[in-house]
Amino acid sequence: MFNQELVLKQRAEILHALCSSGSTEHLERVLDILLSQGELIWEEYQSIQVQGRALYTNVRQLLDLVYTKGEDTCEFFLAAVKQVLPEAQGAGITFSGCCSNLEKTGESQCTSIQTLLTQRASLVTKIRACIDGALEALVESGHFTSADCDEVLLPIHTPSQKARRLLDHVRSKGESAAKVLLHYIHESESSLNQEKWTLSKEFSKYRKKLSSSVSAQSCFLSSYGGTSHMPLDEIYTEGQLELANGCADLSGALDLDNIVSAAGTVNDEADTVLVSGEAGSGKSTLLQRLHLLWARGVALKGFLLLFPFSCRRLNSEQRELSVQELLFQHCCWPDKEQEEIFQFILDHPHLILFSFDGLDELKQGFSDEHRVCCPTQRAPVHILLFNLLQGSLMKGVRKVVTSRPDAVGPMLKKHLRKEVLLKGFSPSGIDCFVKKHHRDPTVAAKVLESLQMNTALLGLCHSPVLCWIVSECHKELLGCGEGSPQTITDVYLMILQHFLQHQSPLKSTVGLGWLQEHIKAVLHLGQLAFEGIGTSCYIFTDTDLETCYVTEKDICMGFLILSKDMSSTHSKRYEFLHVTIQCFFAALFIVLSNNTDRSTIHKLFELQNMKGTGLSSTWFMGCIPFSDQQGQGLEGESVIAETSNLQITATFVSGLLSQRHRNLWLHCCSSAVMEKKVRQVVKCLSKGMHKHFKSIPQPVEGEKKSMHAMPGFVWLIKCIYEMQECKIAKDAMSKLEVDHLKLTYCNIGPVECTALAYALQYLRKPVGLQLDYNSVGDVGVEQLLPCMHICNSLHLRNNNITDEGIRKLIAKGIQCDNFQKIALFNNKLTDACTLHFSLLLKTKQNFLSLRLGNNNITAEGAKQLAEGLKFNHSLRYLGLWGNKISDTGAEALASALEGSKTLVWLSLVGNGVGSAGAYALAKVIESSTSLEELWLTENCITKAGVECLIQALERNTHVKSVWLRNNDLSWEEVEEMTRYESRLIF
Ligand code: ADP
C-alpha cells in the first residue's frame, strides 16, 4: 500500500504542486505519461481532462482515480509527477518508492494509433515545432477538414495544447490518419536536422550592420567613460550565476551560454529568461558581454539576429510603435528590403533574440491586461514590451530581460521560461577583477592586501559596482590607513573625493575642504539626481541639466556620461555613471540642500510601507521643488514605485548623516539643520524597527517566539549599519524580543551579513538565526562572526559555503557558550571541514545539533567526525543525509556512538550504506539509551543487514522508528520483515 498511501497523505501538496502555476500544462504532461504507460485508458483521460472545468477539480479527479486504481497506478503517477515537476521533491513531496524509469513501457507497439498513445509525451514536443505542416499534411491526405484545423488551432490553446488536440483528433480519425501524422513527423525531423537558410544578400548585409552596431555599443565599459576607455574584453570578470529557486539543479557553475540554454527551464512554453540581481550586481555588464560575444560570433551562435534594448531608453519613446518599427528604429535600420527582412524574422522566430536591460527602470509596472498580438499593430512601447515578454507577440523569439528582483512580481513570473540570479563576484572574482583593473601587479597586490585586512570592505566588493569604485579609488584607499572604508557610504564618498580632486589636481585641497570647494557642483548634480529618483528618470536632456544649473564643468567631473542610444535621436542625453551613483547624489542633495521639503526625510523612509501601491513615486514627487518635464508627463499613468532606488538613497542618507562624516559638512551647511536631519533619520529608523517588532505574533504556548523578516527589515538594518553608531543599534535591538529570527530567501549576501552582525550583536537574548537559501558564502560567514556569541542556532542551508568558511565559523563558535546548533544542508563542504566539526564536538559539551546533509562528505570525513563524537556527551541530532560515507563511514560513526546517552536522531539517508553499516548501527541501537529515530532510507542494505537491526530492536524499547525505504530488498522481504518488527518503516 506504500505508493497509494503516499498519494493519499500528500494529496494537498500534490494538488498544490500541479495547480499553483495556474497553467494546465503540468497536469496535461502527467496525463500524457499515464496514457503512454497504459495506466489510464482513453475514457478515463477524457473524464479528467474536462475543458472549462477548474484545474483543481481536474487534478482532484485524477488523484481520486489513481488512488482507486491501486498501488501500481499510484507508483506510475508519482513517477510522472516527479518527472514533470522535479523541483517538487525539494519542496517536500516524497516520491521514494516510485519507479524512476518511465521510458520502458515493455509493450511492443503494433498500430500507429497505439504509437500515438505510447509515445504521447514525446510526440507533443515534436508536434509543437511543426504543427502547421502536420495539419497541412492531414488536410492534403483528406483526413482533416479546415474545421478540424480550426479546432486544433484555437487561439486559447498553448502550443503544447494545440499539439495534444491534434493528437486527439487524429486518434478519432483512425489508423490511416495516425500513419500520415507519424510519417510527417518523421520526415520533418530529418529535414529539421539539416535545416539551412538561404539568406538573401540584403538580409546578410542587415545582419552585418546590426552586429557591427551591437559590437560598437558593447565593446567599452561605460563606467570607465569619465576616466578612460576600458575595453570590456580587458576588464570583464565572470560573475556568479545561479538558477533561481525552484529550477531543476544543474551541476557546476552556469556560464553565459546557459542563460539561453534549456538548462533549468521551468516553463517550456515561455520565451522569456529573467536575469535578476541587485543594483550594481553586473546585469547590464553581463548583457553587454553577451551582446559582444554574439556580435563576434563566439556565443549565442544559434541566433542570427540579436536586438538589444534598454528599458531606460525605451522610457523616453513617446510614440506608439509596431514591433517592426521598434526593432528597426531602436536597434538597426535596414537600408533596403525592410519588409523582406521583417518577414524572415517572423518566419524564423527561433533564430532571433531580444534583450531588455533594466526592466525595473521602466516607468510602468508589468501588466498583461492589454493584449497586442499583431506585429504590425502600433501600441505604446511598454505595451509592446509586455506582450513580447509574455509571448503574445513574436512567440518563439527568445527574450532575455534583466531586472532587480523586487521589480518582478508574480504576474510576470508566470511567463518566465526560467530565472537566473546574478550574485556578484565570488572571492576569486574579486581577485581577478582587481588584477585586471590594475595592470601594475604591485598596485593590484596592495589593493588586494588592503581588502584582506578589511573584511567589511571585502564583503562590499562582492558587488561589482563597489569593487569597481574601490579599484578606481585605490590611491584614496591605500592612503587612508586606519580609516579604511567600512560602509557603502564610505565607498561612495571615496569616489566623490576621487572625482572632485581629479578635477583640480593641482590645487588638491588638503584635509576636509575638498567638498566645500565643489559644493555648488555637488548640489547641482544632487538636484538632478534627486528629481530623477523621484520621477523614475535616469536619462537627462540639456533642458533637465539647465533646470538644475548643471554646467559643462560639472559634467566634466565624470559622474555624468553621455547616454548611449541605438536609436537615431540627435540631441545629447546624459545619465549617471551608475544608478547607485544617482542615488548617492540624491542623498547628498537631501543632506546638504536647504531647498528640500522638511518632510522629505520622513517621506523617504516611510515610502517603504507604500511598496506596490503605485503611489510612492507620485507622492514623493510632492517633495520635489521643481517638477521636470518628464515627471509631469507621467501624471495619471500607473507609475511604478521605484522603491529600490529610494531605499538605496535612504541608506546613503543614513550613512551621510553618520557622526563620522559630520566634519565633512561643517562648512557646507548649518549644523543646527544637520542635527535636525540626524534626529529625523534616527526617529524614522526606530519607528520602522518598532513596526516590525510589533508585527511579531505572540507564540503559541510551549513554542518559541519567532519572527520572519518582513520586506524592509534587512534594509532598515543596513541603514543602522551605515550610521555606525552603537547607541542607535543598541536602542533598535533592545526592543527585539524573539527566540528565532528567520531570514530565509532574503537575498542576503556578505554586505547584508556585515550589517546584520553589527546590529544583532546588541541583542539582549540569544536567538536562533535562520539564513537558509541566501548567498552568504565564506565571506558572509566571516562577517557574521561578531554576532556568533548571541546565536544559539545558525541555519545556513544553501548558501555556497565551503570548508574555508567553516574553518573560521567553527574557530569562533567554539568560544561561544550559546552556540548549540548548526544546519548546513546543501553547501560545498568536503571532508576538509570535518576536522573542525570534530574539534567542536570534542570541545563543546553543550552542542546539540549538527546537520551536514547534501554535501560532499565521504568515509574519511565520517571517520573524522567519529573522532569528535567519541568525546562528545551532548549531541542529540546528527544529520548526514545525501553524503557519501558508505559502510566504512557508517561503521566509524557507529563505533563512536555506541552507548550514546544523548543522541536522539541520526540520519544517514542516501549514503551508500550497506549491510555492514547496518550491522554496525545495530550495535548503536542495542547500546544507546537515547536513540529514538534512525534514518537509513535510500541506501543499499540487504535482508541480512535488516535482520541485524531487527535483532537489536528486540533489545531496545526506546527506538521509535528505523526508516528503510528504498534499500536492496524485495517486496516479499519487506512484507516479511514488517511482520517481525513494526518499527521498521519501508
Ligand atoms: P547592474 O546593471 O546590475 O546595476 P552594472 O552591470 O551596471 O550593474 O555594473 C556596475 C559596474 O560594475 C559596471 O559599470 C562595471 O564597472 C562593474 N562590473 C559589473 N559587472 C562586471 C563584470 N562582470 N566584470 C567587470 N566589471 C563589472
Side-chain angles (χ1 to χ4, degrees):
M1 293 292 283
F2 166 48
N3 285 297
Q4 220 175 349
E5 207 179 297
L6 274 182
V7 170
L8 190 66
K9 278 195 177 152
Q10 303 184 104
R11 189 176 166 94
E13 290 82 1
I14 298 173
L15 189 68
H16 179 74
L18 286 173
C19 301
S20 60
S21 71
S23 143
T24 57
E25 183 58 24
H26 292 141
L27 169 65
E28 294 197 38
R29 273 157 67 183
V30 170
L31 290 171
D32 289 344
I33 296 171
L34 293 177
L35 272 177
S36 313
Q37 298 293 324
E39 291 301 320
L40 287 188
I41 56 165
W42 186 246
E43 288 68 26
E44 288 166 337
Y45 171 76
Q46 286 180 317
S47 75
I48 291 161
Q49 191 48 3
V50 177
Q51 293 298 321
R53 194 168 64 176
L55 174 59
Y56 273 91
T57 315
N58 289 351
V59 175
R60 280 198 186 100
Q61 178 115 13
L62 174 64
L63 283 162
D64 293 345
L65 183 69
V66 294
Y67 184 77
T68 47
K69 290 188 92 156
E71 177 64 21
D72 286 350
T73 310
C74 285
E75 179 174 5
F76 277 107
F77 171 71
L78 286 173
V81 175
K82 190 175 174 182
Q83 181 169 318
V84 170
L85 290 162
E87 67 277 12
Q89 198 163 16
I93 298 183
T94 310
F95 293 108
S96 40
C98 68
C99 72
S100 50
N101 192 354
L102 284 169
E103 246 78 274
K104 295 179 234 149
T105 61
E107 280 176 41
S108 61
Q109 301 137 10
C110 26
T111 66
S112 297
I113 289 265
Q114 276 166 341
T115 310
L116 293 192
L117 264 189
T118 55
Q119 295 185 9
R120 186 174 171 92
S122 67
L123 284 174
V124 167
T125 318
K126 288 178 188 166
I127 293 173
R128 261 185 357 204
C130 61
I131 194 148
D132 291 334
L135 284 170
E136 233 167 74
L138 287 160
V139 172
E140 262 173 33
S141 62
H143 292 97
F144 264 40
T145 63
S146 60
D148 292 324
C149 297
D150 290 347
E151 231 170 285
V152 168
L153 292 177
L154 275 181
I156 50 159
H157 294 325
T158 64
S160 297
Q161 284 170 333
K162 286 177 187 160
R164 290 189 187 98
R165 297 302 80 84
L166 174 65
L167 281 171
D168 302 349
H169 256 66
V170 169
R171 194 178 181 281
S172 67
K173 302 276 176 185
E175 179 65 16
S176 126
K179 261 205 181 104
V180 170
L181 178 65
L182 291 175
H183 178 72
Y184 176 80
I185 292 171
H186 180 74
E187 290 289 292
S188 66
E189 263 185 327
S190 28
S191 68
L192 250 183
N193 292 339
Q194 314 149 4
E195 191 177 356
K196 289 254 181 312
W197 310 278
T198 23
L199 303 178
S200 72
K201 204 170 122 211
E202 273 318 311
F203 184 89
S204 303
K205 263 168 91 182
Y206 178 66
R207 194 173 164 222
K208 226 170 163 184
K209 184 176 176 188
L210 177 65
S211 61
S212 55
S213 142
V214 169
S215 167
Q217 295 288 332
S218 51
C219 57
F220 290 106
L221 204 53
S222 59
S223 52
Y224 292 80
T227 47
S228 59
H229 278 293
M230 177 66 93
L232 187 64
D233 282 333
E234 285 178 25
I235 193 70
Y236 186 79
T237 308
E238 294 289 338
Q240 303 178 93
L241 281 174
E242 270 175 31
L243 289 171
N245 172 54
C247 295
D249 217 54
L250 257 196
S251 52
L254 287 193
D255 59 26
L256 288 183
D257 261 326
N258 284 136
I259 291 176
V260 287
S261 75
T265 300
V266 285
N267 182 356
D268 258 334
E269 302 293 323
D271 303 320
T272 300
V273 175
L274 171 70
V275 177
S276 63
E278 298 299 336
S281 60
K283 301 179 293 296
S284 308
T285 312
L286 176 132
L287 268 193
Q288 203 176 321
R289 182 73 180 154
L290 268 181
H291 297 163
L292 186 63
L293 295 182
W294 171 79
R296 288 196 188 134
V298 211
L300 308 174
K301 289 187 202 154
F303 297 100
L304 286 183
L305 300 178
L306 185 156
F307 293 95
F309 296 95
S310 147
C311 295
R312 178 179 277 206
R313 292 185 235 309
L314 289 180
N315 273 331
S316 33
E317 180 55 85
Q318 308 292 336
R319 297 168 298 170
E320 295 205 348
L321 298 178
S322 67
V323 175
Q324 180 171 359
E325 289 163 337
L326 180 75
L327 298 185
F328 293 168
Q329 293 181 19
H330 273 262
C331 293
C332 179
W333 185 258
D335 297 321
K336 282 187 197 156
E337 306 292 353
Q338 286 94 348
E339 292 312 320
E340 179 206 309
I341 291 170
F342 191 61
Q343 194 55 47
F344 182 92
I345 295 172
L346 292 179
D347 292 344
H348 301 86
H350 58 294
L351 300 177
I352 316 294
L353 181 71
F354 294 170
S355 73
F356 298 98
D357 190 22
L359 186 67
D360 48 292
E361 291 194 351
L362 199 75
K363 285 183 175 162
Q364 296 82 3
F366 180 82
S367 127
D368 54 9
E369 275 167 21
H370 191 132
R371 280 288 160 104
V372 177
C373 303
C374 168
T376 49
Q377 186 185 337
R378 289 204 170 114
V381 169
H382 68 276
I383 304 275
L384 287 188
L385 173 57
F386 300 156
N387 279 278
L388 287 169
L389 295 183
Q390 62 186 292
S392 35
L393 252 184
M394 308 294 277
K395 180 87 203 141
V397 169
R398 192 58 53 82
K399 295 108 188 173
V400 177
V401 58
T402 71
S403 174
R404 285 184 242 180
D406 289 351
V408 181
M411 222 184 333
L412 175 57
K413 289 230 161 142
K414 241 178 21 202
H415 301 290
L416 293 183
R417 186 173 178 81
K418 66 177 176 187
E419 183 178 355
V420 177
L421 309 178
L422 182 54
K423 302 217 151 168
F425 291 151
S426 64
S428 60
I430 297 176
D431 199 82
C432 175
F433 177 85
V434 173
K435 286 179 182 156
K436 284 185 174 184
H437 188 100
H438 296 286
R439 292 203 200 105
D440 179 348
T442 28
V443 179
K446 276 188 190 158
V447 172
L448 287 170
E449 193 186 324
S450 71
L451 288 182
Q452 290 306 331
M453 293 192 337
N454 179 350
T455 55
L457 188 60
L458 182 64
L460 295 181
C461 285
H462 280 258
S463 160
V465 71
L466 289 163
C467 198
W468 161 66
I469 297 180
V470 168
S471 301
E472 187 75 20
C473 303
H474 69 280
K475 286 204 179 109
E476 287 79 2
L477 175 74
L478 299 175
C480 61
E482 289 292 289
S484 171
Q486 296 289 315
T487 66
I488 303 182
T489 312
D490 295 350
V491 174
Y492 280 75
L493 275 170
M494 202 161 71
I495 193 140
L496 180 68
Q497 185 180 3
H498 175 80
F499 276 28
L500 294 185
Q501 293 191 334
H502 189 76
Q503 174 74 1
S504 45
L506 288 179
K507 49 175 183 149
S508 177
T509 328
V510 245
L512 296 165
W514 58 267
L515 181 66
Q516 196 190 351
E517 193 186 326
H518 297 282
I519 190 73
K520 275 196 183 141
V522 170
L523 283 172
H524 298 161
L525 292 172
Q527 183 179 344
L528 186 74
F530 176 69
E531 295 197 12
I533 293 293
T535 53
S536 302
C537 175
Y538 312 98
I539 298 190
F540 305 96
T541 60
D542 282 334
T543 327
D544 298 328
L545 265 59
E546 272 165 34
T547 317
C548 298
Y549 313 103
V550 177
T551 63
E552 263 310 307
K553 212 169 143 222
D554 301 340
I555 300 173
C556 288
M557 283 179 175
F559 292 109
L560 281 180
I561 50 170
L562 271 176
S563 166
K564 282 191 242 168
D565 201 338
M566 291 184 88
S567 68
S568 52
T569 109
H570 298 296
S571 61
K572 273 194 205 163
R573 286 163 184 262
Y574 297 89
E575 56 194 330
F576 280 88
L577 271 181
H578 191 256
V579 67
T580 50
I581 295 210
Q582 183 175 345
C583 295
F584 180 64
F585 270 97
L588 279 167
F589 186 70
I590 294 172
V591 169
L592 294 174
S593 164
N594 296 323
N595 273 351
T596 50
D597 191 300
R598 262 190 246 147
S599 59
T600 305
I601 289 185
H602 179 70
K603 287 185 179 169
L604 181 67
F605 280 84
E606 279 287 302
L607 274 175
Q608 320 315 322
N609 304 327
M610 309 287 291
K611 196 171 175 181
T613 60
L615 284 172
S616 51
S617 288
T618 21
W619 189 43
F620 192 64
M621 271 165 70
C623 304
I624 296 171
F626 325 94
S627 279
D628 68 296
Q629 287 170 359
Q630 297 185 42
Q632 281 166 4
L634 270 177
E635 268 174 47
E637 283 196 50
S638 75
V639 182
I640 182 171
E642 260 305 343
T643 322
S644 171
N645 287 335
L646 295 170
Q647 280 189 339
I648 299 173
T649 307
T651 314
F652 281 132
V653 168
S654 313
L656 291 172
L657 287 170
S658 151
Q659 183 72 46
R660 299 150 71 232
H661 297 311
R662 273 180 231 162
N663 282 345
L664 256 185
W665 324 126
L666 262 185
H667 303 288
C668 302
C669 51
S670 116
S671 43
V673 175
M674 213 51 143
E675 287 304 327
K676 198 164 156 214
K677 290 183 180 173
V678 174
R679 280 198 301 277
Q680 277 183 321
V681 169
V682 173
K683 198 166 153 205
C684 288
L685 290 178
S686 160
K687 231 170 93 182
M689 274 295 173
H690 192 66
K691 243 185 204 158
H692 277 86
F693 301 158
K694 256 182 41 189
S695 71
I696 309 172
Q698 283 306 316
V700 184
E701 212 179 290
E703 279 189 14
K704 294 200 163 177
K705 193 168 177 185
S706 177
M707 168 180 159
H708 197 306
M710 293 193 302
F713 178 75
V714 177
W715 162 73
L716 280 174
I717 296 273
K718 279 167 92 172
C719 291
I720 290 175
Y721 176 73
E722 289 297 310
M723 295 209 80
Q724 290 285 306
E725 287 178 41
C726 67
K727 187 174 171 312
I728 296 174
K730 246 186 210 161
D731 283 353
M733 287 301 119
S734 64
K735 291 170 208 137
L736 176 61
E737 280 191 10
V738 281
D739 302 301
H740 199 83
L741 184 57
K742 214 169 161 187
L743 290 155
T744 41
Y745 295 107
C746 281
N747 251 327
I748 293 186
V751 180
E752 288 72 23
C753 288
T754 314
L756 264 177
Y758 177 78
L760 294 183
Q761 66 178 321
Y762 295 111
L763 280 177
R764 295 212 187 131
K765 230 173 68 175
V767 277
L769 182 57
Q770 192 164 347
L771 292 169
D772 298 334
Y773 303 97
N774 283 297
S775 327
V776 170
D778 289 348
V779 180
V781 163
E782 202 172 346
Q783 300 303 309
L784 288 174
L785 301 185
C787 72
M788 280 287 288
H789 64 279
I790 204 77
C791 292
N792 49 25
S793 70
L794 197 52
H795 297 245
L796 287 165
R797 295 184 184 95
N798 251 317
N799 265 300
N800 247 329
I801 297 168
T802 75
D803 302 324
E804 179 53 19
I806 294 304
R807 183 180 67 78
K808 292 180 180 159
L809 184 78
I810 299 304
K812 173 79 188 200
I814 284 179
Q815 301 160 14
C816 301
D817 268 357
N818 288 322
F819 179 53
Q820 294 186 313
K821 296 179 186 171
I822 190 157
L824 285 158
F825 178 83
N826 214 18
N827 279 289
K828 298 194 167 150
L829 308 183
T830 71
D831 291 338
C833 77
T834 51
L835 190 72
H836 311 297
F837 286 115
S838 181
L839 183 66
L840 174 93
L841 291 170
K842 271 186 202 163
T843 325
K844 271 185 79 66
Q845 294 302 333
N846 67 345
F847 203 75
L848 300 178
S849 172
L850 176 60
R851 296 181 190 244
L852 299 172
N854 223 26
N855 281 290
N856 218 349
I857 296 170
T858 71
E860 287 313 304
K863 283 184 201 162
Q864 282 287 359
L865 283 179
E867 282 307 305
L869 282 171
K870 273 187 206 159
F871 298 95
N872 180 278
H873 305 296
S874 58
L875 197 74
R876 291 167 60 81
Y877 301 89
L878 177 59
L880 284 163
W881 180 73
N883 283 286
K884 301 183 183 77
I885 67 161
S886 72
D887 272 336
T888 332
E891 282 167 339
L893 289 175
S895 118
L897 289 168
E898 258 181 60
S900 170
K901 296 188 183 65
T902 55
L903 196 77
V904 175
W905 185 93
L906 173 64
S907 168
L908 300 179
V909 171
N911 262 291
V913 178
S915 292
Y919 176 73
L921 288 162
K923 291 194 194 153
V924 181
I925 294 181
E926 235 177 279
S927 60
S928 166
T929 52
S930 53
L931 191 68
E932 290 179 8
E933 273 189 60
L934 177 58
W935 284 79
L936 292 169
T937 308
E938 281 169 30
N939 279 299
C940 40
I941 302 170
T942 58
K943 186 178 172 192
V946 183
E947 279 167 354
C948 300
L949 294 171
I950 293 176
Q951 277 170 20
L953 282 169
E954 279 167 10
R955 285 177 223 137
N956 182 318
T957 49
H958 310 282
V959 173
K960 293 185 182 142
S961 46
V962 178
W963 294 77
L964 282 161
R965 280 177 186 165
N966 279 353
N967 275 283
D968 280 355
L969 300 161
S970 71
W971 188 240
E972 295 75 34
E973 285 169 340
V974 167
E975 285 214 331
E976 185 191 336
M977 314 245 192
T978 319
R979 255 182 273 126
Y980 281 134
E981 177 54 71
S982 60
R983 287 175 287 169
L984 296 182
I985 302 175
F986 293 99

